[in-house]
Every structure is written in structure tokens, then in C-alpha cells.
Amino acid sequence: EKTCAIRKVLLAARDATDPWMAAAVLNSIGDKAVELFRLLNTPDLRDQGGAMALAPRLAESIGARGFGDEIAAVIEVASDQKDVVRMMALAKALGAGLHKAGIPLEAEKGQVILDHAQTLATDASAAAPTRADAISVLGCVSWDHFATTLLPLLDPRQPQEVQLASLGALEQLDQGQLASEILQRWDAMSPRLREAAAGAMVKRPARAKVLLQAIQSGKIRRGDLSGSQAATLRQSSNKELKALAARVLTIRTGKRDQV
């Protein structure tokens, strides 16, 4: 069985165009996940198209399983990568799996990766996709660790991909601070970032309440919300939020109220 799984990995590593093979590997790894992940990242295989596509998916799967020794092994392999683009891709995938499991990336164990991620995230000369991956990695730890790095990246002078990745990372880290930070920056945000920021605020009742209060006070225009965002607020299962949305999002005319 072990030999069969390894043979599948070798075949998948050499054939990036076969999704069935990749699915077969992921569905048959069992307790061999770490061994196969290490295999995909050996010098003989790691630069092959299939390995480059499959290794992050395997890292995410390992993260979602939530076993500490397996997570540590992925961190070790990612930390050893000389290519920081590959390092960020593996770490981002691991972080996505950890998020599914409700586990943060421990800053001390991932220190090498996080140091590189923090440098890349703020490096204006780095490619935007690489910066976005690095930002996603920072979003796997805690608000206290990296909010001060991520918040300035919402600046409209940053590439849009960087701004959106930073918002996503901050949303993942948020412990109640994000809504006020968004409002402070609202006027400077691009329309695309405002749309994403409003979407983030609508997702949680506490944020949504701040959003509606900002509309009520005139800080934010009703028109800054999309139709689906407004509908989500009006149909909230939170009675207080639903009532506030009904008041704030009603457009009053001379003849009647329009919602």
C-alpha cells in the first residue's frame, strides 16, 4: 500500500495536467501525508509541474487534519525552501488548512517563515502575487502580532491585490478591532476595496452594527453597499441588527418609503 501511494505521488508529480491523479493521491494518503509531502519537496521532484501543484494541496490537507507533529513537519519543509515564492505558497496552503481546523500558526514555530513573510509583504519591489501570499501567511497568526504590518497595506497607493489580501488577512485575525480601522480609512479606499470592506463588515453582527451606525451618521453612504450586502443586513437573524437595517437602509421619499 505504501509503495502504491508513493508510485501515485511520483506519477502525479510528473503530470500537472491530470486532476484525477491528484485527487487519487489526496484521497489515498492516509497516515502517509507527511512522508509524501516531503517526497514532493525533494530536489528531484519539487520543480516539476505536478509537484508544484500538488504540494500546496497536500500542505492544506495536513493543516486541516490538525495533528501537531504533521504541522511541524510541514513548517520544517517550508522553512527549508531557498525559493521564498515556494516557501510562501506552502505556508499559505498550510495556513488555509489550519484555519479550517480552527488552529493558528504558532509564531515561534513558524518564525523563519513569518520573518520572510513580513519582509515580503512590505517589499514594494516584490511581485504583487508573492506579496499577497506572504500577507495571507501573516493572517494565520494573531492580530497582536501582525496588525501593525497589515493595516498600512490598505493604503490606496498599494497594488489592489495587496490591499485586498491585507483586508482578508485582517478579517481572519479580527478580534473586534477591524470595524473601527476600516472606518478610519474608508474615505481613502478605492471603490473595489470599499466593496470588499463592506462585505467583511456585513459578515459579523458586531461589525455590521458599526457599519449601519456609520451609514446612519453619514460617515458612509447607503450607496456604498451592494444590493446583496444591504439585503443580508435587512434579513439578518439578529433582531436588533435587522431592525436597525430597516431604519437605516430605508430611502425616504415624499410619498412613501422605499426599501
Side-chain angles (χ1 to χ4, degrees):
E1 183 182 352
K2 175 179 176 180
T3 301
C4 179
I6 291 176
R7 187 178 296 116
K8 286 179 181 179
V9 168
L10 292 173
L11 289 171
R14 294 185 171 93
D15 188 359
T17 64
D18 188 350
W20 296 104
M21 180 60 71
V25 170
L26 292 170
N27 289 333
S28 64
I29 55 175
D31 60 359
K32 297 175 287 295
V34 171
E35 182 181 354
L36 302 185
F37 178 76
R38 289 186 185 278
L39 180 62
L40 285 172
N41 286 283
T42 57
D44 290 342
L45 291 180
R46 65 188 178 201
D47 291 326
Q48 298 192 36
M52 294 173 69
L54 188 56
R57 294 180 62 183
L58 195 50
E60 181 175 351
S61 176
I62 291 170
R65 284 159 60 96
F67 297 125
D69 57 337
E70 294 184 352
I71 293 166
V74 175
I75 291 173
E76 179 186 359
V77 171
S79 298
D80 287 343
Q81 301 300 311
K82 304 302 181 186
D83 180 352
V84 293
V85 175
R86 190 198 312 276
M87 180 191 292
M88 291 303 111
L90 294 176
K92 176 186 176 182
L94 174 65
L98 292 173
H99 183 63
K100 292 178 181 178
I103 303 171
L105 176 61
E106 293 184 35
E108 291 183 4
K109 293 181 179 178
Q111 193 62 55
V112 171
I113 295 170
L114 294 171
D115 285 347
H116 281 290
Q118 189 165 19
T119 299
L120 279 171
T122 57
D123 183 359
S125 66
T130 302
R131 293 181 68 190
D133 281 354
I135 288 164
S136 295
V137 173
L138 299 181
C140 299
V141 190
S142 73
W143 181 277
D144 290 341
H145 276 93
F146 293 114
T148 54
T149 298
L150 295 170
L151 285 167
L153 299 180
L154 298 175
D155 189 290
R157 290 169 294 186
Q158 296 287 342
Q160 181 169 279
E161 188 171 357
V162 168
Q163 295 176 50
L164 292 170
S166 299
L167 178 63
L170 288 163
E171 182 183 356
Q172 187 164 304
L173 298 176
D174 184 30
Q175 296 296 323
Q177 312 94 324
L178 182 58
S180 62
E181 295 288 352
I182 286 175
L183 290 187
Q184 290 176 34
R185 294 164 174 80
W186 189 267
D187 290 341
M189 287 182 175
S190 67
R192 177 68 186 87
L193 190 60
R194 284 184 183 179
E195 179 184 4
M201 294 183 79
V202 162
K203 289 179 184 177
R204 290 190 188 175
R207 290 185 202 148
K209 183 178 180 180
V210 172
L211 176 64
L212 287 169
Q213 289 171 338
I215 294 173
Q216 192 172 40
S217 69
K219 169 67 177 175
I220 294 177
R221 297 182 300 110
R222 291 185 185 91
D224 286 339
L225 299 187
S226 69
S228 62
Q229 290 166 351
T232 296
L233 292 170
R234 292 191 187 102
Q235 297 165 13
S236 173
S237 59
N238 182 300
K239 292 182 179 180
E240 179 187 2
L241 196 61
K242 184 175 183 178
L244 180 58
R247 295 195 303 273
V248 172
L249 299 180
T250 296
I251 303 173
R252 298 189 178 280
T253 67
K255 296 181 178 179
R256 61 184 179 88
D257 289 349
Q258 295 179 347
V259 178

